[in-house]
Amino acid sequence: MVDGNDTHGAVPALANPAVSGITRLSATDTVRARIALAIELGLMVVGEQLPSDHDVAAALGVSEITARRALKSLADEGVLARRRGRTGGTFVAEPGASASVASITAYLADAADVHRLIDERVLLECALVHHAALNISAGQLDVLDEAVAQAATAENWTDYHAADARFHLGVAAASGLDWALPQYAAALNALYRYFLPYPVDYLHGVNREHARLVAALREHDPVAAVAIIRQHVSVLHDSMFVGLAAGDPRS
């Protein structure tokens, strides 16, 4: 588990198997569902370039071979376009084609599990943030500042994901509640498996809430810090795919 001065332990923590309904899908189908659903919901638009296969794999917690296989199959079905050459890459092709990806149905069927995971994360993270506000050290604040800066300069959703993981696991570690960290990491990991690609401008807005949380932690103000994190996590009921029928992060 990551400690207050280690920004590298967060990503391995996210590689633990998630106990969630989508484990009934193969790793390839999970990637297919997440990309196709993001396109269907308008989070990714026609002509938008995806990050490299390596970065997609890292952000979605799968091997590069799995990511490449999933993206190629989506390209074969017309959802994505794979181009070679100096200006090549993987691009969103036709949004209508994403509706034909059958694995989306299994993904959407887990809505109740996703809402439960969000509530679980709210409970855990509010407690951890309260204790972090009381116990956080200067070195741990530096770690969080670095994660906020990394997220602020992220150019795509894959870069942002890595910074987001380091930030939240760093906050948890600063609580001093070492016994609670495995449970929190498991809940965070399970929920991360349901996150979709988002527009980076939207994610930069989310990161500004991270900066506000760090300011409250620096003041050792548990009341303000808990209020910020409660709103930050509770909004996932609306901003994740389970709530996007009522609102779009692009708006």
Side-chain angles (χ1 to χ4, degrees), residues 23-95:
T23 54
R24 65 180 173 272
L25 294 176
S26 70
T28 300
D29 280 339
T30 297
V31 174
R32 285 168 47 80
R34 294 169 81 172
I35 298 296
L37 186 55
I39 296 171
E40 187 172 317
L41 292 173
L43 300 176
M44 302 175 72
V45 298
V46 174
E48 180 175 336
Q49 184 172 7
L50 276 69
S52 69
D53 293 358
H54 172 80
D55 288 343
V56 169
L60 300 187
V62 298
S63 69
E64 188 169 344
I65 293 174
T66 294
R68 186 179 300 115
R69 184 182 298 123
L71 296 176
K72 180 182 183 302
S73 69
L74 289 172
D76 291 342
E77 295 172 25
V79 178
L80 301 176
R82 304 272 269 182
R83 303 172 192 163
R84 296 182 177 180
R86 295 179 61 184
T87 60
T90 303
F91 301 83
V92 177
E94 295 296 333

Side-chain angles (χ1 to χ4, degrees), residues 15-251:
N16 295 332
V19 181
S20 59
I22 57 171
T23 54
R24 65 180 173 272
L25 294 176
S26 70
T28 300
D29 280 339
T30 297
V31 174
R32 285 168 47 80
R34 294 169 81 172
I35 298 296
L37 186 55
I39 296 171
E40 187 172 317
L41 292 173
L43 300 176
M44 302 175 72
V45 298
V46 174
E48 180 175 336
Q49 184 172 7
L50 276 69
S52 69
D53 293 358
H54 172 80
D55 288 343
V56 169
L60 300 187
V62 298
S63 69
E64 188 169 344
I65 293 174
T66 294
R68 186 179 300 115
R69 184 182 298 123
L71 296 176
K72 180 182 183 302
S73 69
L74 289 172
D76 291 342
E77 295 172 25
V79 178
L80 301 176
R82 304 272 269 182
R83 303 172 192 163
R84 296 182 177 180
R86 295 179 61 184
T87 60
T90 303
F91 301 83
V92 177
E94 295 296 333
S98 62
S100 66
V101 178
S103 53
I104 287 179
T105 301
Y107 207 79
L108 291 173
D110 284 350
D113 287 337
V114 173
H115 284 301
R116 176 186 58 78
L117 285 168
I118 295 168
D119 288 338
E120 181 180 351
R121 184 177 163 190
V122 170
L123 289 171
L124 291 169
E125 203 149 357
C126 283
L128 291 167
V129 163
H130 175 93
H131 286 274
L134 300 176
N135 298 315
I136 196 164
S137 68
Q140 290 167 331
L141 284 166
D142 288 343
V143 168
L144 299 185
D145 283 336
E146 290 171 5
V148 169
Q150 181 186 10
T153 59
E155 297 183 355
N156 51 55
W157 53 272
T158 57
D159 293 340
Y160 182 88
H161 173 80
D164 185 74
R166 292 190 179 100
F167 178 84
H168 285 286
L169 289 170
V171 172
S175 71
L177 301 178
D178 293 348
W179 60 267
L181 300 187
Q183 182 179 355
Y184 173 70
L188 185 66
N189 177 51
L191 197 54
Y192 270 146
R193 292 201 66 200
Y194 287 101
F195 276 100
L196 306 179
Y198 280 82
V200 72
D201 289 344
Y202 171 76
L203 295 174
H204 286 161
V206 173
N207 188 51
R208 286 192 283 273
E209 297 175 9
H210 292 169
R212 290 178 54 223
L213 178 58
V214 174
L217 294 174
R218 182 168 281 109
E219 294 297 321
H220 299 286
D221 186 343
V223 175
V226 168
I228 291 168
I229 201 62
R230 180 186 295 116
Q231 172 61 26
H232 181 75
V233 181
S234 294
V235 76
L236 296 176
H237 285 296
D238 299 318
S239 63
M240 288 185 69
F241 74 89
V242 292
L244 283 179
D248 186 338
R250 284 187 181 271
S251 62

